[in-house]
Amino acid sequence: MSVDAQADKAKNIKTLTTIQSEVEDSNGLALSVDCVIFGFDENKLKVLLIRSDLKKYLGKWSLLGDLVRPNEDLDGAAYRILKKRTGLSDVYLEQVHTFGSINRHPAGRVVTVAYCSLINVQHHKLNILENELHWHDVTNVTDLAFDHQEIFDTCYRRLQKRIQEHPLGFNLLPKKFSLRDLQNLYEAILNVKMDRRNFRKKFFSMDFLIDIDEMEQDVPHRPGKLYKFNYEKYEKKKKKWVGIDF
Amino acid sequence: MSVDAQADKAKNIKTLTTIQSEVEDSNGLALSVDCVIFGFDENKLKVLLIRSDLKKYLGKWSLLGDLVRPNEDLDGAAYRILKKRTGLSDVYLEQVHTFGSINRHPAGRVVTVAYCSLINVQHHKLNILENELHWHDVTNVTDLAFDHQEIFDTCYRRLQKRIQEHPLGFNLLPKKFSLRDLQNLYEAILNVKMDRRNFRKKFFSMDFLIDIDEMEQDVPHRPGKLYKFNYEKYEKKKKKWVGIDF
DNA sequence: GCAAAAGTGTTGGAAATACACCCATGT
DNA sequence: ACATGGGTGTATTTCCAACACTTTTGC
């Protein structure tokens, strides 16, 4: 390892040099984890990105990632990144896909495992400003560094599919939310408009919402009721569906 | 690399020794691909397994896998394994999940990318006997070597889900098949019984089957019509469905 | 009282399910 | 002739989509 690389490593900063040295140390193969961290704010779906510090991609945004350490497993590495960048533990995290094109990383052969994560943006707001982190509207995410655009697209499509089949969306909302919040979330993620009455009927008939008998505050119109999601009930009732549908 | 390992490598046989040496060569990290190869024969869903040659797992069955080479990407490695073990190219192949528990492999830190593959068993039948390969009923797959049971279970569940959403099943059937074949396939994979008339109605209404005006031969009952799957039509018509369903 | 969004029911059509009889072939 | 599975149609139910008016709050 070069002196530069050692110095960088001491500062716990990953530059191209440090990564390159780690790749070289391991006979040309390294393994990383990249996290696509979604949030929901101002009725828009957001993704957390960081400015690339690599010359080759200067000015471009990239996903949050790091090399997997010798003594941690893949999920562990992803949780570590989440914790470091958002301060949050206990977040929704799902492995999505592994990307291993030969030349995907300038430092050498770096295979990366992509994770999709959903967080409630109100729960952190902290570790953001100090770094070069930024929440981007998913509709404006283009031209990311490395192959991160492809990784992001894959994770976004996965999220769109998953949210229609499982109640993941609640991870993006505060504990208490209105039905309007919920519908805005679905409309933002799926990029569609839905009928308010049918949406409501759908969710009430599923019977996974708990009416907590509180109302929205400080809205300039009739306040809506607030609900919590009933995870236990969902776990018990979730469908074991068999059918053909394509 | 040890002399033994070099000798094994020359014979193109992977033993624990060779893998260990490769892992050591690469500073403790290696990347492999494991293929869960499904087939359909005698109306049973089968998976292709090989006897483990590692002492630790002597007598146990394992998936077909190999280390990823420095100059090939992940899909490439999976296709290579498929080609080597079945003689087939042009097969259905899908990356499913990456497994990276720290101690999953006795040779060291070997992270493996699992692939699910579907083949038509009639198209090979060749490279089987010479090796220690065997088609196992999926219902009898237990106690595989390494963490291969977990990998298999994950891929099987993925197949069950996918086949309900996409017309993958045709990859397991001959080009020409009867509706009964198709139904048997679905019943075997999903482990359910279906109503013959409704099954038929369903597939005809989707309009992806081409009646090729041939009949089954040598059946001891009224012969059924044979069909082909119309991939082009499917690609054009496939649904872009948006809804909530859990 | 007005603007803005919450809350609520009904109806028609499409799709899924359940179900029973006749037909073609080999033996 | 009979055993075996192929092929077909209908009635019922369930689910989804479309649609409009009244209510509550802040200003």
Side-chain angles (χ1 to χ4, degrees):
Chain A
M1 190 186 295
S2 72
V3 175
D4 273 0
Q6 283 178 23
D8 286 339
K9 208 166 192 177
K11 288 183 289 180
N12 197 24
I13 297 172
K14 297 275 185 208
T15 65
L16 182 58
T17 322
T18 50
I19 297 173
Q20 220 153 26
S21 74
E22 295 198 39
V23 175
E24 279 163 12
D25 283 355
S26 59
N27 200 27
L29 172 66
L31 188 65
S32 68
V33 160
D34 282 299
C35 295
V36 179
I37 304 171
F38 289 102
F40 186 65
D41 201 20
E42 297 167 322
N43 291 332
K44 310 245 192 221
L45 184 66
K46 310 269 185 170
V47 62
L48 192 57
L49 300 176
I50 189 169
R51 272 195 198 282
S52 175
D53 51 0
L54 267 57
K55 227 174 246 156
K56 173 165 182 186
Y57 293 115
L58 208 67
K60 299 213 177 190
W61 294 93
S62 71
L63 300 171
L64 299 170
D66 195 9
L67 294 177
V68 177
R69 295 176 180 166
N71 60 344
E72 77 186 344
D73 64 20
L74 304 174
D75 290 5
Y79 277 118
R80 173 169 57 79
I81 291 164
L82 256 302
K83 177 70 179 174
K84 176 178 171 195
R85 297 302 190 174
T86 68
L88 297 175
S89 311
D90 248 354
V91 292
Y92 177 85
L93 189 64
E94 177 192 348
Q95 194 198 104
V96 174
H97 195 84
T98 298
F99 295 82
S101 298
I102 296 171
N103 293 314
R104 58 170 296 281
H105 199 292
R109 185 79 196 267
V110 183
V111 172
T112 199
V113 184
Y115 278 81
C116 169
S117 168
L118 306 178
I119 72 172
N120 176 347
V121 293
Q122 307 186 357
H123 283 167
H124 79 313
K125 299 265 189 198
L126 307 168
N127 309 26
I128 291 279
L129 291 177
E130 41 179 314
N131 299 307
E132 292 254 79
L133 289 172
H134 188 252
W135 284 107
H136 288 247
D137 267 35
V138 293
T139 49
N140 292 332
V141 174
T142 53
D143 197 29
L144 299 181
F146 311 100
D147 56 353
H148 286 189
Q149 187 71 41
E150 183 188 1
I151 297 175
F152 166 75
D153 291 341
T154 302
C155 288
Y156 184 26
R157 280 193 303 268
R158 174 72 66 96
L159 171 61
Q160 289 181 315
K161 186 167 190 320
R162 289 294 249 213
I163 202 174
Q164 295 182 56
E165 302 176 340
H166 302 282
L168 305 183
F170 301 101
N171 293 290
L172 291 161
L173 293 174
K175 281 223 170 56
K176 304 170 180 184
F177 52 86
S178 68
L179 266 173
R180 166 58 59 184
D181 293 334
L182 190 57
Q183 185 174 342
N184 286 340
L185 176 70
Y186 272 86
E187 292 186 343
I189 293 178
L190 298 175
N191 195 31
V192 293
K193 287 287 168 207
M194 294 173 168
D195 181 271
R196 192 161 46 91
R197 286 164 290 190
N198 292 335
F199 184 86
R200 192 167 265 277
K201 223 180 307 171
K202 181 92 193 173
F203 269 91
F204 286 142
S205 74
M206 291 192 290
D207 204 26
F208 296 136
L209 297 180
I210 304 171
D211 182 342
I212 57 172
D213 211 39
E214 290 182 51
M215 306 295 258
E216 290 178 299
Q217 302 291 327
D218 302 316
V219 286
H221 55 75
R222 175 173 175 178
K225 290 179 124 181
L226 297 180
Y227 299 88
K228 285 194 303 183
F229 179 67
N230 190 337
Y231 282 98
E232 294 77 29
K233 198 157 187 178
Y234 167 70
E235 281 304 324
K236 272 183 230 146
K237 291 181 60 172
K238 68 181 163 190
K239 67 193 294 183
K240 292 155 191 41
W241 181 75
V242 177
I244 297 161
D245 198 23
F246 53 83
Chain B
M1 191 186 295
S2 74
V3 175
D4 272 0
Q6 284 178 22
D8 286 339
K9 208 166 189 175
K11 286 184 290 180
N12 199 23
I13 296 172
K14 297 274 184 211
T15 65
L16 182 57
T17 323
T18 50
I19 297 172
Q20 220 152 28
S21 75
E22 296 197 38
V23 175
E24 279 161 14
D25 283 355
S26 59
N27 201 27
L29 173 66
L31 188 65
S32 68
V33 159
D34 282 300
C35 295
V36 179
I37 304 171
F38 290 102
F40 186 64
D41 200 21
E42 296 167 325
N43 290 332
K44 310 244 193 224
L45 184 65
K46 311 269 186 171
V47 61
L48 191 58
L49 300 176
I50 190 168
R51 272 194 199 282
S52 175
D53 51 0
L54 267 56
K55 229 175 245 158
K56 173 166 181 184
Y57 292 116
L58 208 66
K60 300 212 175 188
W61 295 94
S62 71
L63 300 172
L64 298 170
D66 195 7
L67 294 177
V68 177
R69 295 178 180 165
N71 60 346
E72 77 186 343
D73 64 21
L74 304 174
D75 291 4
Y79 277 118
R80 173 169 56 80
I81 291 164
L82 257 302
K83 176 72 178 175
K84 176 177 170 195
R85 297 302 192 175
T86 69
L88 296 174
S89 312
D90 248 352
V91 292
Y92 178 85
L93 188 63
E94 177 192 350
Q95 193 198 105
V96 173
H97 196 84
T98 299
F99 295 83
S101 299
I102 296 170
N103 294 312
R104 58 171 296 281
H105 199 291
R109 186 77 197 269
V110 183
V111 172
T112 198
V113 183
Y115 278 81
C116 170
S117 166
L118 306 178
I119 73 172
N120 176 350
V121 294
Q122 306 186 359
H123 284 168
H124 80 312
K125 300 264 190 197
L126 306 167
N127 308 26
I128 291 278
L129 292 175
E130 40 181 315
N131 299 306
E132 292 256 76
L133 289 171
H134 188 250
W135 284 107
H136 288 247
D137 266 35
V138 293
T139 50
N140 293 331
V141 174
T142 53
D143 197 30
L144 299 181
F146 311 99
D147 56 352
H148 286 188
Q149 186 72 40
E150 183 189 0
I151 296 176
F152 167 76
D153 291 341
T154 301
C155 288
Y156 185 25
R157 280 193 304 269
R158 173 72 66 95
L159 171 61
Q160 290 181 313
K161 186 167 188 328
R162 289 294 249 215
I163 201 174
Q164 295 181 58
E165 299 175 344
H166 302 282
L168 306 183
F170 301 101
N171 293 290
L172 291 162
L173 292 174
K175 280 223 170 56
K176 305 170 181 184
F177 51 87
S178 69
L179 267 173
R180 165 59 59 186
D181 293 333
L182 190 58
Q183 184 173 344
N184 286 340
L185 176 70
Y186 272 84
E187 292 185 343
I189 293 178
L190 299 175
N191 196 32
V192 294
K193 287 285 167 208
M194 293 173 167
D195 181 89
R196 191 164 46 94
R197 287 163 291 189
N198 293 334
F199 183 87
R200 190 167 266 276
K201 223 181 306 174
K202 180 88 195 177
F203 269 92
F204 286 144
S205 75
M206 291 191 294
D207 203 26
F208 297 136
L209 297 181
I210 304 172
D211 181 342
I212 56 171
D213 211 40
E214 290 183 50
M215 306 294 258
E216 290 178 299
Q217 302 292 327
D218 302 317
V219 286
H221 55 74
R222 174 174 175 180
K225 289 180 125 179
L226 298 180
Y227 298 88
K228 286 194 301 183
F229 179 66
N230 190 338
Y231 281 97
E232 293 78 28
K233 200 158 187 178
Y234 167 70
E235 281 303 324
K236 270 185 230 145
K237 290 181 60 173
K238 68 181 163 191
K239 68 195 294 183
K240 291 156 191 41
W241 181 77
V242 176
I244 297 161
D245 198 23
F246 51 84

